[in-house]
Amino acid sequence: MERDRLLTGAHHDPHALLGAHTAPGGVVIRVLRPGARAVTVLAPKLRVTLTDTGDGLFEGVLPLSAPPRYRLLVTERAGGSPVVVEDPYRFLPALGELDLHLIAEGRHERLWEALGARVLTHEGVRGTRFTVWAPHARGVRVAADFNGWDGTGHPLRSLGGSGVWELFVPGVGAGVRYKFDICRLDGSHTLRADPLARRTECPPANASVVHESRYRWGDEEWMAHRAGHAATDAPMSVYELHLGSWRPGLGARELAEQLPEYVRELGFTHVELMPPAEHPYGPSWGYQVTGYYAPTARLGPPDDVKYLVDALHRAGIGVLMDWVPAHFPKDDWALAVFDGAPCYEHPDPARAEHPDWGTLEFDWGRREVRNFLVANALYWCEEYHIDGLRVDAVASMLYLDYSRPPGGWTPNEHGGRENPDAVAFLQELNATLHRRCPGVVTVAEESTAWDGVTRAPERVGESGFGGLGFDYKWNMGWMHDSLLYMGRDPVHRAYHHDEITFSMVYAYAENYVLPISHDEVVHGKRALVNKMPGDWWQRRAGHRAYLGFMWAHPGKQLLFMGQEFAQGAEWSEVEGPQWWTLAAGYPAAGDHRGVRDLVRELNRVYRATPALWERDTEPAGFAWIDAGAAADNVLAHLRFAGDGEPLISVSNFSPVVREGYRLGVPGQVPAWSEVLNTDAAPYGGSGLTHTEPLKTEAVPWHGRDSSVALTLPPLATLWLRPAV
C-alpha cells in the first residue's frame, strides 16, 4: 500500500520510505530512481550495491548503527558511464519552522523566499529547494528537465498541517524548467506551473523556470531619495505604456536604451507599465495574470527587467506598474482549482466566478491567499524596485453584487453589498506596503463613489468602514465627464458646461490621478485627438487645449503612449504607437511634433511651478475665477503654491477668438506673464500669444477688485503667472 502510494505520487511523506533509516541489522537505504539499471551507495569506507526491487526502487542494508552521509553511484538503463549523485531523500527539510509558522498565519511578508524554486546551499550541498502550497493534495511531485518530465522519482513531502510540500533536489540550478505534478483527492493528476515561479517560459509555452538573480543595482541614490520623500508632495506626471508594443519586438534591455531618454526628454516624472507579470494571452495586455512573481518572458530574462527599471531610475524617472489582484484566468495549468479544490479562488462558485471577464476572483478572506497577494506587491517593490502599484479593477473587488443580477449574489453579514474581505485585504496591502517600502505609492482604479479610498484605515467613514489607505484614486468621473464635453461640437458645449466643471465639486474628496489611459483609446473609443470635433486643425487644437486644462487641474496627470503626439489611430498591442507620423517624410509630421513639443513644455512648466502640484489635495490651493461662462465655452481658475504664489489657467473651448476678455485676478499682483499657450505657433496653433506682460487694472470683475484683459485664442489654454 505504501509502495503503491509512493509510485502513484499519492504519498504525503516519501522521506519516511526513501533515504536512510535505522532498522534491525543496520541501516536500510531505499532509493527511487526510475530508469536506473544499477544503484550503489557510497559511504565512508563502505560501498554497497542496492537490490533492484522493481518499479525503479532499489534497497539495501548497510552494516551501520546510524545513517551515514552518503552519495549514490547510478548507472542509467540507457547506457553510459555511472555517475555520482546526491540522494534528495537524505536531507532534512530545507524550509524552517518559522517560515511554516508565518505561512500558516498568512504573515510571511517575503513569501517568495519560502515558496517556489530557490537555488541554495543546504547541508553543504548546492541545489534547488522546491516548495509549493497545495493544501488539498494527496501527493505532489516535481516534473522537470532533470527527470525527463516524469516526476515519479521526485515526490515532495508534506510539512505538517501547513499545506506546504517540499523537496531539496541536489545539483539542480538556474535555468531548469519544471512544473508540479499534483495528485488530487480523487487520485487524478494535474500538472501545474509554480504559483511562486520567478521566471517562466515564453508563452505559449508555460513551464516554470528555476531562477537565480545575479543583478547588481545601480540606483542607490534613487532608492535612498524614495525612502526619504513622500511622492504625494512632489510633481507627478505619468506616461503610461505597454512595454510589449512601445517599440514592438524589443526586449527589456533594448527598451532600456531608448525608453528612459524618451521619457526624460518629454519631462514625465514617472512611467506606468501595463501589467509586466506573466500572462498567457497577449491581447489581455497583461490583465489576466498566471505568473504573479515572474515578469513576462516576452521581455527577456528577469534580470533584464531589473536593468530596465534601473535605467529609468538612473534617468530620474519613477516606475509604477499595473497590478491585478482582482481576478485570474482559468487556465488548467495555472492557479484555477490548483490542487483539485479551490485554493486561490472563493469556494462558493457564485463568488468565485467573475461575470465580466470569464475569470476567477481571489478569495481575499483566506489568509494564505491574502499572503500570496500582499507578498507579491512587496516582491515587485523590493526585488524590482518598483515605485508604486496601480491596483486594477478595485470596484469589482469591493462590491459583492458587482455585475451580478438580483439573486445572483449573497449579502454580507450586515445585509449589505460591500465585500468586507476585499476591504480588509486592501487595507492590509496598503498598510504593509507603506510600512515596508517608504515612498512607494499605491493608486486605486476605483470607478464608484466608495467612501475613503485614499483615507487612512483607522479613520472610519459614514459607511462604517475605515479608509482603504491608497495614496491616490483614478478620477474616472473627471475622465468620463471631461471627454464627453470635449467630444461635443463647441456650439453644443454651452448646454453641457457642468460636464467640464463638475469635477471640482468633489475634487478634494480623495487624492486623485487624472487618467487618459489605454482604456480610453481602444475598442472603438478613438484616439484622443479624434475624440475632438471639427477638421484636423480644430481636432489638434482641442487636443492641445484639453491637455493644458488637464495639467492645470488639481490632481496628478496620466497620459497613454501615442497621445503625446496625437496619433490618429486607436492603440493596437500588435502595432504600437504610430511613430512614423513623426518621421521627416510624413506630410503631417510637423503637426504631430507640435503636440509632442507642447507636452514637453507642459511637463517642464508644471515641474517648475509649485502652484500646479504643491497643494493638489488642499481646497485652499484652488479658486475659481469664472466657472460659469458657459455661453463662451470658457473657464478660468487660480492655483496657489504653498507660499501663496498664484498661477492662472484659462481655457477657451470655442473656435472663436475672444479679444479684450476680462478676468478678475488678485490685486496684489501688478502684472501677469504668459508662461504657456497651447495656441503658440510651434505647437501647431494660430500664434495668438501675449509677448508682453498683462497689467492688472483696478477694474472690479468676477467678484474681485482687480482684473486683466487679454485675448483668448481659439480652442486654447493659457497659463499666466506673476511677471518678474
Side-chain angles (χ1 to χ4, degrees):
M1 182 65 176
E2 294 286 293
R3 179 186 177 107
D4 289 343
R5 288 172 56 205
L6 178 67
L7 294 174
T8 59
H11 204 292
H12 73 286
D13 188 13
H15 290 69
L17 302 178
L18 302 175
H21 303 274
T22 55
V27 172
V28 173
I29 292 186
R30 192 174 294 110
V31 174
L32 179 57
R33 297 287 301 196
R37 187 172 69 219
V39 178
T40 298
V41 173
L42 304 178
K45 300 181 181 181
L46 192 63
R47 182 185 179 111
V48 176
T49 299
L50 302 182
T51 301
D52 184 348
T53 63
D55 300 317
L57 281 165
F58 296 82
E59 185 175 325
V61 179
L62 277 63
L64 300 171
S65 59
R69 184 183 178 95
Y70 66 92
R71 293 190 293 172
L72 303 174
L73 181 67
V74 178
T75 303
E76 302 294 343
R77 293 190 187 278
S81 302
V83 293
V84 177
V85 299
E86 298 282 356
D87 181 7
Y89 297 92
R90 79 164 179 84
F91 293 89
L92 294 170
L95 192 65
E97 289 298 324
L98 178 59
D99 288 309
L100 293 175
H101 172 75
L102 292 173
I103 291 170
E105 291 289 318
R107 298 291 181 183
H108 203 308
E109 293 180 349
R110 294 183 68 84
L111 188 66
W112 64 94
E113 293 183 346
L115 298 182
R118 187 166 186 82
V119 180
L120 48 79
T121 298
H122 181 48
E123 296 181 16
V125 176
R126 193 71 171 164
T128 296
R129 181 192 66 202
F130 293 92
T131 46
V132 64
W133 178 64
H136 309 103
R138 291 177 58 187
V140 178
R141 304 183 288 199
V142 60
D145 289 332
F146 57 78
N147 57 25
W149 290 92
D150 179 0
T152 303
H154 290 90
L156 282 64
R157 61 180 145 204
S158 175
L159 298 178
S162 64
V164 175
W165 300 74
E166 180 266 354
L167 180 67
F168 175 71
V169 183
V172 170
V176 169
R177 299 176 304 153
Y178 70 99
K179 284 188 177 182
F180 290 113
D181 175 358
I182 297 174
C183 180
R184 295 178 281 216
L185 290 175
D186 63 1
S188 63
H189 284 253
T190 179
L191 198 60
R192 297 289 174 142
D194 181 0
L196 272 289
R198 290 176 291 151
R199 185 176 179 181
T200 68
E201 284 189 292
C202 192
N206 54 42
S208 303
V209 180
V210 177
H211 175 62
E212 184 178 22
S213 178
R214 299 186 181 278
Y215 190 74
R216 297 294 177 264
W217 289 90
D219 63 348
E220 295 83 2
E221 184 177 346
W222 174 274
M223 294 297 286
H225 182 271
R226 183 181 89 176
H229 294 79
T232 49
D233 297 333
M236 179 184 288
S237 61
V238 184
Y239 182 66
E240 185 195 22
L241 72 146
H242 179 255
L243 284 173
S245 67
W246 188 75
R247 293 284 190 183
L250 296 189
R253 280 199 173 258
E254 293 82 9
L255 287 167
E257 303 306 315
Q258 299 185 34
L259 181 62
E261 180 58 30
Y262 181 80
V263 176
R264 179 170 61 181
E265 199 271 335
L266 282 182
F268 286 96
T269 66
H270 291 72
V271 294
E272 180 175 312
L273 311 178
M274 291 169 69
E278 192 58 272
H279 52 284
Y281 184 52
S284 79
W285 311 330
Y287 291 97
Q288 296 196 4
V289 180
T290 49
Y292 275 81
Y293 286 79
T296 177
R298 298 169 179 89
L299 297 172
D303 282 0
D304 286 5
V305 177
K306 292 183 177 181
Y307 180 83
L308 172 58
V309 174
D310 202 350
L312 286 160
H313 282 171
R314 285 184 277 112
I317 300 160
V319 183
L320 313 178
M321 64 170 269
D322 282 9
W323 187 61
V324 192
H327 64 119
F328 58 93
K330 297 179 180 179
D331 300 74
D332 61 6
W333 49 267
L335 296 180
V337 199
F338 181 71
D339 59 4
C343 285
Y344 293 91
E345 65 271 43
H346 199 281
D348 180 353
R351 287 276 299 275
E353 190 75 24
H354 198 294
D356 285 346
W357 302 314
T359 53
L360 296 171
E361 293 187 357
F362 282 102
D363 182 2
W364 303 291
R366 185 166 190 167
R367 59 182 179 270
E368 297 94 342
V369 175
R370 287 201 312 272
N371 194 170
F372 173 82
L373 291 170
V374 172
N376 183 245
L378 288 169
Y379 172 77
W380 287 104
C381 296
E382 294 186 0
E383 295 291 324
Y384 283 83
H385 292 196
I386 295 296
D387 302 299
L389 302 180
R390 176 269 198 183
V391 182
D392 184 63
V394 170
S396 74
M397 303 169 65
L398 291 173
Y399 297 98
L400 295 167
D401 63 344
Y402 185 87
S403 285
R404 290 177 169 87
W409 60 282
T410 302
N412 63 33
E413 61 182 354
H414 304 294
R417 55 197 285 256
E418 301 85 2
N419 187 338
D421 291 338
V423 171
F425 160 68
L426 293 169
Q427 291 172 333
E428 180 182 344
L429 164 73
N430 284 304
T432 305
L433 265 178
H434 291 134
R435 171 174 53 82
R436 287 286 298 264
C437 304
V440 162
V441 299
T442 57
V443 185
E445 187 216 12
E446 203 286 308
S447 55
T448 73
W450 182 275
D451 176 41
V453 172
T454 60
R455 192 174 63 231
E458 60 270 18
R459 291 176 54 201
V460 177
E462 294 180 1
S463 64
F465 290 98
L468 299 182
F470 285 94
D471 295 297
Y472 293 106
K473 170 180 173 173
W474 268 22
N475 196 334
M476 311 291 280
W478 170 87
M479 176 273 299
H480 175 270
D481 292 346
S482 65
L483 289 180
L484 195 62
Y485 175 87
M486 295 303 298
R488 300 185 188 280
D489 189 286
V491 74
H492 298 134
R493 287 174 179 166
Y495 306 102
H496 301 276
H497 197 67
D498 61 313
E499 292 171 348
I500 199 71
T501 61
F502 181 66
S503 58
M504 288 311 303
V505 172
Y506 60 88
Y508 301 103
E510 305 279 3
N511 303 336
Y512 284 115
V513 170
L514 311 178
I516 300 298
S517 74
H518 65 278
D519 277 331
E520 304 315 310
V521 295
V522 291
H523 300 326
K525 294 181 181 178
R526 296 173 292 175
L528 182 58
V529 72
N530 283 331
K531 296 177 186 289
M532 310 296 164
D535 59 22
W536 175 233
W537 191 95
Q538 290 177 319
R539 294 201 304 275
R540 284 186 294 119
H543 182 111
R544 295 192 306 269
Y546 181 70
L547 293 180
F549 163 74
M550 174 181 174
W551 256 249
H553 192 287
K556 310 306 184 184
Q557 301 80 36
L558 179 141
L559 189 66
F560 185 60
M561 65 181 192
Q563 313 317 300
E564 78 274 17
F565 58 86
Q567 75 168 49
E570 290 186 339
W571 169 58
S572 161
E573 80 277 359
V574 176
E575 298 177 5
Q578 293 182 306
W579 298 114
W580 50 269
T581 63
L582 300 167
Y586 182 63
D591 296 342
H592 295 280
R593 291 177 184 173
V595 175
R596 187 180 63 180
D597 290 345
L598 170 66
V599 170
R600 180 188 300 111
E601 187 66 2
L602 283 168
N603 279 324
R604 186 193 69 79
V605 178
Y606 168 74
R607 295 176 76 160
T609 308
L612 289 171
W613 48 265
E614 202 167 44
R615 302 172 78 182
D616 261 339
T617 61
E618 301 175 31
F622 176 94
W624 281 115
I625 294 173
D626 188 2
D632 296 336
N633 299 163
V634 171
L635 65 160
H637 66 263
L638 286 156
R639 297 292 305 276
F640 298 99
D643 62 2
E645 178 85 0
L647 178 134
I648 295 172
S649 174
V650 54
S651 298
N652 177 17
F653 289 122
S654 76
V656 177
V657 178
R658 302 194 183 279
E659 297 180 351
Y661 202 88
R662 191 165 290 277
L663 298 175
V665 298
Q668 67 271 24
V669 178
W672 300 83
S673 293
E674 183 178 276
V675 65
L676 183 134
N677 186 329
T678 67
D679 189 55
Y683 311 141
S686 65
L688 281 177
T689 61
H690 300 86
T691 57
E692 298 295 328
L694 299 166
K695 293 182 179 180
T696 300
E697 302 174 89
V699 177
W701 212 262
H702 292 137
R704 299 177 185 273
D705 294 334
S706 304
S707 60
V708 296
L710 66 163
T711 297
L712 297 185
L715 296 171
T717 293
L718 284 67
W719 294 353
L720 308 171
R721 67 184 176 196
V724 177

